[in-house]
Every structure is written in structure tokens, then in C-alpha cells.
Amino acid sequence: MLKKYVLLWIFVIFFPYICCVIAHLVNPKVTIGQGGYMIENHRMGKDIMLEINGIYKSIDVEEYVAGVMPGVISADYNMEALKTQAVLIRTNILKEMEENNTKDAADISYKYYTKEERRELWGRANIDKYERKIEKAVSSTAGKVIRKESSLIMALYHEVSIGKTADAAEVLDEDISYLKSVDSSRDVEAKNYMNIYTYTWDELSNMLVTGSTEEKNQAEESNTESPDNLTVDKIDITIEESTENGFVKKVSVDGTVYTGSEAAEIFKLPSINYYVENLEDGVRFVCLGKGNCLGVSQYGANCMAANGKTMEDIISYYYKDVSIEEAFSN
């Protein structure tokens, strides 16, 4: 009798393992002990050529999406927010591949994070947990993209809005039907909702000439002091034009006019929604939001996910009249 029980327990314990081994021999793509969320089990069948350490390798788009995710969104976010981000990235990657007629990752505007880079980003203590979350977000949305009618959309997103997202006409001077302003009022609670940057006149001067290689080369050739080290009394910075919601269109810097985006890049501001306060020895930039404020607010999406909203709910809220479809229908 005891022998029968022993044999029964051996059968219960080892039979599933034997089945998995047989399945793996029949189909090597089945991964033992990893569950249904392995990227290997959810391939798109469309590859990207990626260079790593001087060696080119071909990887599936889904694997590429998983490698992009760590640098785009916090892995601490709720699963439905991560799933949303996976769909946005996949949509943008396929749109760029289609429009640029390319399979080369160098032609795509995303950075792929290798396993070593992910470990450095997340730390050894979190690498396994975060890898599983990202892999689940990508594999559970595998093949899903966003379309307006029959075209892939520009799946724009940002870290934090100004309390509402921007209309494309306000920021891009172009009316895009699915990029309309929507309320995202929880964003005002975010750590990066307001950012303040204070610069002295000398620091501002250095920023203004950083990109001027011609001036630097001339200074080096003549053995004169670089413009970076000049002492400046004052720089007149005035916002010449901004939208009703505070998105800067034109900035005058000592008479030179820049676009709001150009000035934000020069002065290292995280968004184009800002205003300037003059100080005795410099200026203070008060900047609202982080990113372009168009499309999905990642912080807002995470709040929606925490309140039980799904990936589909989030996408249909932030983009108007779009559909979530399979990238390639059979």
C-alpha cells in the first residue's frame, strides 16, 4: 500500500515536468518553467537589426519593445499603465519602420537597453522582479497597436502633464484629430509636476554658447579666452509669445528670438510650459509638466490603472476615436 502511494506521488510530481520536456523537444520555442508571459512565446515575426558591442543581431519586434521599456517608464508603475506603454512603443516602432522603410534599430528613435544596462538602471535587487513585469506587459499586449482609421497613429506620451494634456494645435500648430486636450488633474500631485531652475548670468551665457563650435574654435586658434569663461552682467530673457495654457512659442534672449522648444533645449528645461522670473544675479525658470504634454500622461495613466482602469480604458481616454488592433491580421 505504501509503495502505491510513493509511486503515485512520484507520478504527480514528475509527470508535468516530463510533459514539458517532451513539449520542448517538439517545439524549442516553448520555454520550460517560465509561464505564458515569455517573449519567446509571443513573437511578432518581424525583426529589427540591432548592433550590440559591434555585433549585429536580429531580434523580434516584441523583444525590442521589451528592451526599450526600461528607459521610457518606471517599472514600479501599475501593470495596466505598463501595458499601455508597451502598446504605444510598439505602435511608434512599427510606424517608424514603415515610414522609413527600415529594419535597422539605428534608424529608430528609441534606445534599446541590454541586460547589463537594465541591471545598472534597476539594480541587482530589482532586476528579476522588473524583468518579469516588463515581459508580462509586453507579452500580454503582443501585436497590439493603435490606429486611426487604417493608419498607425503618432502614439505621443509624456511623463507628467500640466493638469491637462495639450491639444496638438496648441503645441505643434497642427490639428491632429486624436490629440485633443483632456483632463489629467491628478498630475498636479506628481513629483515632477513643477520644476524650478535657477541660473546665474554666467551660467546662462555658457549655455547660450555651448552649441557654438565656431566661436570656441576661433578662441582656441587665437589662444584667447573661450566665450564660456566670460563674465556677464545681465542677459535679457523675455517670453514674447505663449499660448493660453502657458506653452511658450517665442523667447527673446538679448534680442535673439528662439522658439519655446529651442529655448527649453538651451536652458535644459523639461517642457515648453514655463515662465521666467528675474533675479538680482540671474533668472529663475518655473516649468510645469515634464515632456511634450501630448497624448498619454504616464503619471495620469498610472493613476487610472490604480483605480481599476484597463489599458484599453487608458488609451481610449487619452486618444480620441482610435482603435486598438492587431499589427498584422491573419
Side-chain angles (χ1 to χ4, degrees):
M1 192 71 176
L2 179 61
K3 185 178 180 181
K4 288 183 179 180
Y5 278 118
V6 171
L7 291 174
L8 178 62
W9 276 110
I10 292 174
F11 179 81
V12 169
I13 292 171
F14 287 102
F15 181 72
Y17 176 77
I18 293 169
C19 290
C20 286
V21 171
I22 294 172
H24 181 67
L25 292 174
V26 173
N27 182 4
K29 288 186 177 181
V30 176
T31 307
I32 299 173
Q34 298 295 334
Y37 291 117
M38 290 296 294
I39 297 297
E40 287 86 347
N41 298 334
H42 298 274
R43 294 180 182 275
M44 181 180 289
K46 188 175 181 67
D47 289 342
I48 290 179
M49 293 299 298
L50 178 67
E51 182 185 3
I52 300 177
N53 298 326
I55 300 173
Y56 273 93
K57 63 179 293 188
S58 181
I59 66 173
D60 191 81
V61 166
E62 299 297 353
E63 184 181 348
Y64 188 74
V65 172
V68 166
M69 288 276 285
V72 172
I73 190 170
S74 170
D76 279 329
Y77 272 13
N78 285 279
M79 180 53 62
E80 293 302 313
L82 294 176
K83 287 165 64 176
T84 298
Q85 191 65 56
V87 176
L88 305 189
I89 293 172
R90 185 182 300 109
T91 300
N92 288 332
I93 288 171
L94 291 178
K95 185 177 179 65
E96 289 190 40
M97 292 178 71
E98 179 184 292
E99 292 180 346
N100 299 328
N101 190 28
T102 187
K103 294 177 63 176
D104 192 335
D107 299 325
I108 298 171
S109 58
Y110 279 110
K111 172 179 169 54
Y112 177 88
Y113 282 72
T114 64
K115 183 81 171 181
E116 292 73 24
E117 289 171 326
R118 296 175 215 175
R119 184 177 292 108
E120 184 178 345
L121 179 69
W122 290 330
R124 291 183 180 275
N126 294 318
I127 182 70
D128 291 337
K129 176 180 70 173
Y130 287 166
E131 284 278 5
R132 287 194 296 270
K133 285 189 70 176
I134 294 299
E135 196 154 22
K136 181 176 180 180
V138 174
S139 61
S140 61
T141 63
K144 295 189 183 301
V145 294
I146 310 171
R147 286 194 172 92
K148 175 73 174 183
E149 296 173 350
S150 60
S151 299
L152 294 169
I153 71 166
M154 287 193 300
L156 299 182
Y157 54 88
H158 53 284
E159 189 172 324
V160 183
S161 78
I162 62 169
K164 61 180 177 180
T165 65
D167 191 297
E170 184 175 18
V171 173
L172 302 178
D173 295 322
E174 180 182 357
D175 185 25
I176 300 176
S177 61
Y178 53 84
L179 291 176
K180 299 297 182 181
S181 178
V182 300
D183 179 78
S184 195
S185 54
R186 288 286 302 276
D187 287 20
V188 301
E189 304 167 4
K191 178 178 64 177
N192 289 319
Y193 166 68
M194 178 182 290
N195 295 279
I196 298 174
Y197 300 84
T198 303
Y199 300 122
T200 65
W201 302 125
D202 289 348
E203 288 171 335
L204 291 166
S205 179
N206 290 340
M207 290 176 174
L208 286 167
V209 299
T210 294
S212 181
T213 55
E214 183 178 350
E215 288 184 62
K216 288 184 177 180
N217 292 338
Q218 288 176 351
E220 290 171 1
E221 290 172 4
S222 61
N223 293 322
T224 60
E225 186 178 31
S226 169
D228 286 2
N229 299 318
L230 294 176
T231 300
V232 178
D233 291 331
K234 184 177 180 181
I235 296 174
D236 182 28
I237 301 178
T238 306
I239 294 177
E240 298 285 336
E241 182 183 345
S242 60
T243 69
E244 181 182 354
N245 291 309
F247 294 98
V248 177
K249 293 291 188 180
K250 293 180 182 178
V251 181
S252 173
V253 182
D254 272 349
T256 301
V257 177
Y258 298 92
T259 67
S261 297
E262 289 170 342
E265 184 175 354
I266 291 170
F267 300 126
K268 299 178 173 57
L269 307 178
S271 86
I272 62 169
N273 195 296
Y274 55 88
Y275 59 91
V276 180
E277 296 177 340
N278 290 301
L279 305 175
E280 185 176 340
D281 59 347
V283 298
R284 178 188 294 125
F285 290 94
V286 180
C287 192
L288 299 183
K290 190 170 184 181
N292 56 36
C293 288
L294 292 165
V296 172
S297 161
Q298 292 176 327
Y299 186 89
N302 194 49
C303 290
M304 290 181 68
N307 288 332
K309 298 298 184 182
T310 65
M311 171 269 289
E312 292 83 357
D313 295 331
I314 295 167
I315 288 174
S316 62
Y317 178 75
Y318 280 105
Y319 300 120
K320 297 304 175 186
D321 302 320
V322 299
S323 57
I324 301 170
E325 304 175 3
E326 293 295 326
F328 305 105
S329 55
N330 296 325

